[in-house]
Amino acid sequence: MADNLPVIEVSKLSKRYPGASNFAIKDLNLKINPGEVYGFLGPNGAGKSTTIRLLMNFIQPTSGGGKIAGRDIVTESVAIKRQVGYLAGDVELYPKMTGHQFLRYLSELQPPKRASYQQELAKIFQANLSRRIDTLSKGNRQKIGLIQALMHEPEVLILDEPTGGLDPLMQEAFYELVKSTKAKGTTFFISSHNLAEVQKMCDRVGFIRDGQLISEVTIADLSKTAVQTFDVTFAAEAPLLELKKLKHTQVTSNSPSHVSVHIRGDLSPLFTVLAHHGVLSLDSRGINLEEEFLRFYKGSKR
Amino acid sequence: MKPIIKWTVQARRLSILWWILGIIAYVVLELAFYPSIRDQAAELEKSFSSLSDSAIALFSDTGDFFSPVGYLSGQVFYLLMPMLLGILAIGAGASLVGREEREGTLELLLSRPISRSRLMAAKAVTGIFIIAVVGLVGGLATAVMSKLVDLPIPFGNIMLAGVASTVLAISFGSVAFMITMLGRSARVASVGLSSLVALAGYLLTSLASNVSWLSGPSKVFPFAYYHPAEILEGNYNWLNMLFIVGVIALCGVVSWIAFRRRDLISS
């Protein structure tokens, strides 16, 4: 795989299901670079899973196409899958098999590079592989789903809602694993509803609505342009006039001495104002990716 | 292909075992009564002579229930063996890929570096293997029981009749398999349509001996080319089997064309 070429490249990809009047995906263009963790965000029915199923050649494009690792997603799908790990949104496993049997089956279909890696993953996720899958909770089935996607150490990982059902501890374990796997050069394409996890894991985020990519932004850029909220308690009356004069700022007065300041971009003007007044407390709510996300879906422009 | 065959057979091993036990039990029960029936053949022949030709044709391809060949064909190979194996084959044909697709595990298999053609071939081979095992055990059980109850029919001919009913059943299963491979709207009809092919073939072929105009339509169904009494007598024209094998091959080709580029149904 050439370092300078996108690992995943999608061009004018469209999908209309038979009998449907609207396109599930319309003229989608994506470029995901080697070693990048790309978050694919959108509400239910936006086209996230359709995009993933097109990339995996489970469904056929109506028009347009794409490449993974330089190979065509339709005609070279088998070769692509030698380099791809996949996790479906609703993990469906063989209920009557144990975790061990299930992973052995998939290992026979695609032998892993290192036999020991499966055990390492099982340890990381504290997965019980001895029990029958139909006796496991959703979270434990999800762990097995993640292990099967990762165990052959693919160069590209396409994961649809990977942390669904995982408890917070396991979610953290997964984020750490993404970080260490990314460090080895693996590229991730992750669809998610969980905005906080996208913020933690991803380098870049694409927002999809009604089958169309409406915006792509790096997490770094998002941080620069996103609205941050500060709750400020002043020793005296809040300097509302001064705060309202600041650019890209909205101020909500909660009480005479307490305000919430929503500010986009550079924070230094805000702190200049605060420095001239007695401040008793200052709480930052951080970047609210969810607000950013909703802003896109409400159709507002950045 | 091997892992898919191995694990699919393993997942169905209990069901295969029950089918084997069931078919052995059925053959043993049917043939255990032969000595007493043989002894009363003359009286029973008289009672059966009052039946209409059409009724007799539904249960026998010889019209004779009490000769060794007539008994074995009528009791085992003409109707019940193809019917039992047909049920197994249609169930397997409709579910080998259909259930995996419905339950979402097909995507899991296809997320590995396996082409759809290979996956389809692996599933088809698995289905043929399962039906062949049960069918051959049925044939073997019939041959052994025939020896035990002194049915004077060559062992080899009985085994060949078992093979022929297995191939016929596989043709029913391949129709179910093909319909399943066409996709969502066709899949729901796979068991019904393939059962219809089996049943209509049996009825039309049976009745065609007495209703001449049914002879033409019956020729489009595999059952019309299956004559177990002739196989047991050793005078079957095996070119007939080419039609049944042709149906299986045609279903395979249509399945492949339909499945290689169609949308998988999400679970």
mmCIF file with all atom_site columns, all heavy atoms in Angstrom, chain A residues 24 51 64 70 94 154 165 177 195 197 200 210 218 221 234 268 292 299:
data_model
loop_
_atom_site.group_PDB
_atom_site.id
_atom_site.type_symbol
_atom_site.label_atom_id
_atom_site.label_alt_id
_atom_site.label_comp_id
_atom_site.label_asym_id
_atom_site.label_entity_id
_atom_site.label_seq_id
_atom_site.pdbx_PDB_ins_code
_atom_site.Cartn_x
_atom_site.Cartn_y
_atom_site.Cartn_z
_atom_site.occupancy
_atom_site.B_iso_or_equiv
_atom_site.pdbx_formal_charge
_atom_site.auth_seq_id
_atom_site.auth_comp_id
_atom_site.auth_asym_id
_atom_site.auth_atom_id
_atom_site.pdbx_PDB_model_num
ATOM 1   N N   . ALA A 1 24  ? -30.241 6.008   -0.609 1.00 0.00 ? 24  ALA A N   1
ATOM 2   C CA  . ALA A 1 24  ? -29.738 5.837   0.768  1.00 0.00 ? 24  ALA A CA  1
ATOM 3   C C   . ALA A 1 24  ? -28.405 6.554   0.906  1.00 0.00 ? 24  ALA A C   1
ATOM 4   O O   . ALA A 1 24  ? -28.054 7.065   1.970  1.00 0.00 ? 24  ALA A O   1
ATOM 5   C CB  . ALA A 1 24  ? -29.585 4.358   1.086  1.00 0.00 ? 24  ALA A CB  1
ATOM 6   N N   . THR A 1 51  ? -23.135 2.797   3.731  1.00 0.00 ? 51  THR A N   1
ATOM 7   C CA  . THR A 1 51  ? -21.774 3.068   3.243  1.00 0.00 ? 51  THR A CA  1
ATOM 8   C C   . THR A 1 51  ? -20.838 1.919   3.597  1.00 0.00 ? 51  THR A C   1
ATOM 9   O O   . THR A 1 51  ? -20.072 1.442   2.748  1.00 0.00 ? 51  THR A O   1
ATOM 10  C CB  . THR A 1 51  ? -21.245 4.382   3.866  1.00 0.00 ? 51  THR A CB  1
ATOM 11  O OG1 . THR A 1 51  ? -22.191 5.414   3.601  1.00 0.00 ? 51  THR A OG1 1
ATOM 12  C CG2 . THR A 1 51  ? -19.895 4.750   3.310  1.00 0.00 ? 51  THR A CG2 1
ATOM 13  N N   . GLY A 1 64  ? -21.206 5.104   -9.158 1.00 0.00 ? 64  GLY A N   1
ATOM 14  C CA  . GLY A 1 64  ? -19.986 5.484   -8.439 1.00 0.00 ? 64  GLY A CA  1
ATOM 15  C C   . GLY A 1 64  ? -19.233 4.244   -7.982 1.00 0.00 ? 64  GLY A C   1
ATOM 16  O O   . GLY A 1 64  ? -19.602 3.116   -8.326 1.00 0.00 ? 64  GLY A O   1
ATOM 17  N N   . GLY A 1 70  ? -6.261  0.613   -2.693 1.00 0.00 ? 70  GLY A N   1
ATOM 18  C CA  . GLY A 1 70  ? -6.008  0.653   -4.134 1.00 0.00 ? 70  GLY A CA  1
ATOM 19  C C   . GLY A 1 70  ? -6.801  -0.369  -4.935 1.00 0.00 ? 70  GLY A C   1
ATOM 20  O O   . GLY A 1 70  ? -6.624  -0.467  -6.144 1.00 0.00 ? 70  GLY A O   1
ATOM 21  N N   . TYR A 1 94  ? -22.622 -16.977 15.876 1.00 0.00 ? 94  TYR A N   1
ATOM 22  C CA  . TYR A 1 94  ? -23.306 -18.280 15.891 1.00 0.00 ? 94  TYR A CA  1
ATOM 23  C C   . TYR A 1 94  ? -23.688 -18.624 17.326 1.00 0.00 ? 94  TYR A C   1
ATOM 24  O O   . TYR A 1 94  ? -22.811 -18.927 18.139 1.00 0.00 ? 94  TYR A O   1
ATOM 25  C CB  . TYR A 1 94  ? -22.405 -19.354 15.296 1.00 0.00 ? 94  TYR A CB  1
ATOM 26  C CG  . TYR A 1 94  ? -22.166 -19.151 13.814 1.00 0.00 ? 94  TYR A CG  1
ATOM 27  C CD1 . TYR A 1 94  ? -21.051 -18.477 13.354 1.00 0.00 ? 94  TYR A CD1 1
ATOM 28  C CD2 . TYR A 1 94  ? -23.087 -19.617 12.886 1.00 0.00 ? 94  TYR A CD2 1
ATOM 29  C CE1 . TYR A 1 94  ? -20.847 -18.279 11.999 1.00 0.00 ? 94  TYR A CE1 1
ATOM 30  C CE2 . TYR A 1 94  ? -22.891 -19.413 11.530 1.00 0.00 ? 94  TYR A CE2 1
ATOM 31  C CZ  . TYR A 1 94  ? -21.770 -18.745 11.099 1.00 0.00 ? 94  TYR A CZ  1
ATOM 32  O OH  . TYR A 1 94  ? -21.580 -18.537 9.759  1.00 0.00 ? 94  TYR A OH  1
ATOM 33  N N   . PRO A 1 154 ? -5.520  -6.747  10.758 1.00 0.00 ? 154 PRO A N   1
ATOM 34  C CA  . PRO A 1 154 ? -5.700  -6.164  9.425  1.00 0.00 ? 154 PRO A CA  1
ATOM 35  C C   . PRO A 1 154 ? -5.103  -4.762  9.332  1.00 0.00 ? 154 PRO A C   1
ATOM 36  O O   . PRO A 1 154 ? -4.885  -4.107  10.349 1.00 0.00 ? 154 PRO A O   1
ATOM 37  C CB  . PRO A 1 154 ? -7.217  -6.113  9.267  1.00 0.00 ? 154 PRO A CB  1
ATOM 38  C CG  . PRO A 1 154 ? -7.723  -6.010  10.664 1.00 0.00 ? 154 PRO A CG  1
ATOM 39  C CD  . PRO A 1 154 ? -6.773  -6.769  11.525 1.00 0.00 ? 154 PRO A CD  1
ATOM 40  N N   . GLY A 1 165 ? -22.826 -1.566  23.724 1.00 0.00 ? 165 GLY A N   1
ATOM 41  C CA  . GLY A 1 165 ? -22.978 -2.637  24.709 1.00 0.00 ? 165 GLY A CA  1
ATOM 42  C C   . GLY A 1 165 ? -21.794 -2.817  25.640 1.00 0.00 ? 165 GLY A C   1
ATOM 43  O O   . GLY A 1 165 ? -21.886 -3.546  26.624 1.00 0.00 ? 165 GLY A O   1
ATOM 44  N N   . LEU A 1 177 ? -6.754  0.448   22.740 1.00 0.00 ? 177 LEU A N   1
ATOM 45  C CA  . LEU A 1 177 ? -6.369  -0.496  21.686 1.00 0.00 ? 177 LEU A CA  1
ATOM 46  C C   . LEU A 1 177 ? -6.329  0.203   20.326 1.00 0.00 ? 177 LEU A C   1
ATOM 47  O O   . LEU A 1 177 ? -5.426  -0.042  19.514 1.00 0.00 ? 177 LEU A O   1
ATOM 48  C CB  . LEU A 1 177 ? -7.366  -1.657  21.652 1.00 0.00 ? 177 LEU A CB  1
ATOM 49  C CG  . LEU A 1 177 ? -6.977  -2.856  20.803 1.00 0.00 ? 177 LEU A CG  1
ATOM 50  C CD1 . LEU A 1 177 ? -5.715  -3.513  21.336 1.00 0.00 ? 177 LEU A CD1 1
ATOM 51  C CD2 . LEU A 1 177 ? -8.100  -3.877  20.761 1.00 0.00 ? 177 LEU A CD2 1
ATOM 52  N N   . LEU A 1 195 ? -20.630 10.483  20.451 1.00 0.00 ? 195 LEU A N   1
ATOM 53  C CA  . LEU A 1 195 ? -19.815 11.624  20.048 1.00 0.00 ? 195 LEU A CA  1
ATOM 54  C C   . LEU A 1 195 ? -18.573 11.799  20.905 1.00 0.00 ? 195 LEU A C   1
ATOM 55  O O   . LEU A 1 195 ? -17.511 12.149  20.411 1.00 0.00 ? 195 LEU A O   1
ATOM 56  C CB  . LEU A 1 195 ? -20.679 12.870  20.084 1.00 0.00 ? 195 LEU A CB  1
ATOM 57  C CG  . LEU A 1 195 ? -21.919 12.691  19.203 1.00 0.00 ? 195 LEU A CG  1
ATOM 58  C CD1 . LEU A 1 195 ? -23.002 13.647  19.612 1.00 0.00 ? 195 LEU A CD1 1
ATOM 59  C CD2 . LEU A 1 195 ? -21.556 12.865  17.770 1.00 0.00 ? 195 LEU A CD2 1
ATOM 60  N N   . GLU A 1 197 ? -16.850 9.466   22.242 1.00 0.00 ? 197 GLU A N   1
ATOM 61  C CA  . GLU A 1 197 ? -15.812 8.491   21.889 1.00 0.00 ? 197 GLU A CA  1
ATOM 62  C C   . GLU A 1 197 ? -15.125 8.891   20.574 1.00 0.00 ? 197 GLU A C   1
ATOM 63  O O   . GLU A 1 197 ? -13.936 8.656   20.404 1.00 0.00 ? 197 GLU A O   1
ATOM 64  C CB  . GLU A 1 197 ? -16.368 7.073   21.843 1.00 0.00 ? 197 GLU A CB  1
ATOM 65  C CG  . GLU A 1 197 ? -17.041 6.680   20.563 1.00 0.00 ? 197 GLU A CG  1
ATOM 66  C CD  . GLU A 1 197 ? -17.483 5.221   20.546 1.00 0.00 ? 197 GLU A CD  1
ATOM 67  O OE1 . GLU A 1 197 ? -17.387 4.541   21.580 1.00 0.00 ? 197 GLU A OE1 1
ATOM 68  O OE2 . GLU A 1 197 ? -17.960 4.781   19.489 1.00 0.00 ? 197 GLU A OE2 1
ATOM 69  N N   . LYS A 1 200 ? -12.539 11.210  21.415 1.00 0.00 ? 200 LYS A N   1
ATOM 70  C CA  . LYS A 1 200 ? -11.384 10.581  22.050 1.00 0.00 ? 200 LYS A CA  1
ATOM 71  C C   . LYS A 1 200 ? -10.501 9.841   21.046 1.00 0.00 ? 200 LYS A C   1
ATOM 72  O O   . LYS A 1 200 ? -9.303  9.776   21.200 1.00 0.00 ? 200 LYS A O   1
ATOM 73  C CB  . LYS A 1 200 ? -11.864 9.569   23.107 1.00 0.00 ? 200 LYS A CB  1
ATOM 74  C CG  . LYS A 1 200 ? -12.288 10.193  24.397 1.00 0.00 ? 200 LYS A CG  1
ATOM 75  C CD  . LYS A 1 200 ? -12.655 9.117   25.383 1.00 0.00 ? 200 LYS A CD  1
ATOM 76  C CE  . LYS A 1 200 ? -13.248 9.742   26.635 1.00 0.00 ? 200 LYS A CE  1
ATOM 77  N NZ  . LYS A 1 200 ? -13.788 8.753   27.546 1.00 0.00 ? 200 LYS A NZ  1
ATOM 78  N N   . ASP A 1 210 ? -28.971 12.319  5.463  1.00 0.00 ? 210 ASP A N   1
ATOM 79  C CA  . ASP A 1 210 ? -29.782 11.974  4.284  1.00 0.00 ? 210 ASP A CA  1
ATOM 80  C C   . ASP A 1 210 ? -28.919 11.443  3.138  1.00 0.00 ? 210 ASP A C   1
ATOM 81  O O   . ASP A 1 210 ? -29.108 11.798  1.975  1.00 0.00 ? 210 ASP A O   1
ATOM 82  C CB  . ASP A 1 210 ? -30.587 13.190  3.799  1.00 0.00 ? 210 ASP A CB  1
ATOM 83  C CG  . ASP A 1 210 ? -31.542 13.694  4.855  1.00 0.00 ? 210 ASP A CG  1
ATOM 84  O OD1 . ASP A 1 210 ? -31.986 12.853  5.667  1.00 0.00 ? 210 ASP A OD1 1
ATOM 85  O OD2 . ASP A 1 210 ? -31.822 14.901  4.881  1.00 0.00 ? 210 ASP A OD2 1
ATOM 86  N N   . THR A 1 218 ? -11.366 17.993  10.958 1.00 0.00 ? 218 THR A N   1
ATOM 87  C CA  . THR A 1 218 ? -10.439 17.289  11.849 1.00 0.00 ? 218 THR A CA  1
ATOM 88  C C   . THR A 1 218 ? -10.853 17.614  13.282 1.00 0.00 ? 218 THR A C   1
ATOM 89  O O   . THR A 1 218 ? -11.465 18.661  13.537 1.00 0.00 ? 218 THR A O   1
ATOM 90  C CB  . THR A 1 218 ? -8.984  17.740  11.641 1.00 0.00 ? 218 THR A CB  1
ATOM 91  O OG1 . THR A 1 218 ? -8.898  19.119  11.984 1.00 0.00 ? 218 THR A OG1 1
ATOM 92  C CG2 . THR A 1 218 ? -8.533  17.521  10.208 1.00 0.00 ? 218 THR A CG2 1
ATOM 93  N N   . ASP A 1 221 ? -9.404  20.912  14.188 1.00 0.00 ? 221 ASP A N   1
ATOM 94  C CA  . ASP A 1 221 ? -10.157 22.061  13.667 1.00 0.00 ? 221 ASP A CA  1
ATOM 95  C C   . ASP A 1 221 ? -11.468 22.243  14.425 1.00 0.00 ? 221 ASP A C   1
ATOM 96  O O   . ASP A 1 221 ? -11.910 23.368  14.664 1.00 0.00 ? 221 ASP A O   1
ATOM 97  C CB  . ASP A 1 221 ? -10.455 21.874  12.171 1.00 0.00 ? 221 ASP A CB  1
ATOM 98  C CG  . ASP A 1 221 ? -9.222  22.158  11.330 1.00 0.00 ? 221 ASP A CG  1
ATOM 99  O OD1 . ASP A 1 221 ? -8.280  22.755  11.875 1.00 0.00 ? 221 ASP A OD1 1
ATOM 100 O OD2 . ASP A 1 221 ? -9.215  21.762  10.151 1.00 0.00 ? 221 ASP A OD2 1
ATOM 101 N N   . PHE A 1 234 ? -19.077 35.242  39.393 1.00 0.00 ? 234 PHE A N   1
ATOM 102 C CA  . PHE A 1 234 ? -18.300 36.445  39.720 1.00 0.00 ? 234 PHE A CA  1
ATOM 103 C C   . PHE A 1 234 ? -18.492 36.805  41.200 1.00 0.00 ? 234 PHE A C   1
ATOM 104 O O   . PHE A 1 234 ? -19.525 36.476  41.794 1.00 0.00 ? 234 PHE A O   1
ATOM 105 C CB  . PHE A 1 234 ? -18.760 37.610  38.840 1.00 0.00 ? 234 PHE A CB  1
ATOM 106 C CG  . PHE A 1 234 ? -18.359 37.434  37.388 1.00 0.00 ? 234 PHE A CG  1
ATOM 107 C CD1 . PHE A 1 234 ? -19.219 36.812  36.486 1.00 0.00 ? 234 PHE A CD1 1
ATOM 108 C CD2 . PHE A 1 234 ? -17.137 37.897  36.929 1.00 0.00 ? 234 PHE A CD2 1
ATOM 109 C CE1 . PHE A 1 234 ? -18.855 36.642  35.163 1.00 0.00 ? 234 PHE A CE1 1
ATOM 110 C CE2 . PHE A 1 234 ? -16.767 37.726  35.598 1.00 0.00 ? 234 PHE A CE2 1
ATOM 111 C CZ  . PHE A 1 234 ? -17.617 37.103  34.711 1.00 0.00 ? 234 PHE A CZ  1
ATOM 112 N N   . SER A 1 268 ? -8.850  33.836  24.324 1.00 0.00 ? 268 SER A N   1
ATOM 113 C CA  . SER A 1 268 ? -8.112  34.880  25.062 1.00 0.00 ? 268 SER A CA  1
ATOM 114 C C   . SER A 1 268 ? -8.940  36.140  25.354 1.00 0.00 ? 268 SER A C   1
ATOM 115 O O   . SER A 1 268 ? -8.821  36.692  26.459 1.00 0.00 ? 268 SER A O   1
ATOM 116 C CB  . SER A 1 268 ? -6.805  35.218  24.346 1.00 0.00 ? 268 SER A CB  1
ATOM 117 O OG  . SER A 1 268 ? -7.059  35.604  23.032 1.00 0.00 ? 268 SER A OG  1
ATOM 118 N N   . GLU A 1 292 ? -22.139 20.489  18.381 1.00 0.00 ? 292 GLU A N   1
ATOM 119 C CA  . GLU A 1 292 ? -21.639 20.678  17.021 1.00 0.00 ? 292 GLU A CA  1
ATOM 120 C C   . GLU A 1 292 ? -22.396 19.784  16.049 1.00 0.00 ? 292 GLU A C   1
ATOM 121 O O   . GLU A 1 292 ? -22.789 20.188  14.973 1.00 0.00 ? 292 GLU A O   1
ATOM 122 C CB  . GLU A 1 292 ? -20.140 20.321  16.970 1.00 0.00 ? 292 GLU A CB  1
ATOM 123 C CG  . GLU A 1 292 ? -19.261 21.289  17.703 1.00 0.00 ? 292 GLU A CG  1
ATOM 124 C CD  . GLU A 1 292 ? -19.407 22.694  17.157 1.00 0.00 ? 292 GLU A CD  1
ATOM 125 O OE1 . GLU A 1 292 ? -19.140 22.892  15.963 1.00 0.00 ? 292 GLU A OE1 1
ATOM 126 O OE2 . GLU A 1 292 ? -19.810 23.591  17.924 1.00 0.00 ? 292 GLU A OE2 1
ATOM 127 N N   . GLY A 1 299 ? -28.963 22.115  10.197 1.00 0.00 ? 299 GLY A N   1
ATOM 128 C CA  . GLY A 1 299 ? -28.762 22.765  8.903  1.00 0.00 ? 299 GLY A CA  1
ATOM 129 C C   . GLY A 1 299 ? -28.048 24.098  8.998  1.00 0.00 ? 299 GLY A C   1
ATOM 130 O O   . GLY A 1 299 ? -27.878 24.782  8.000  1.00 0.00 ? 299 GLY A O   1
#
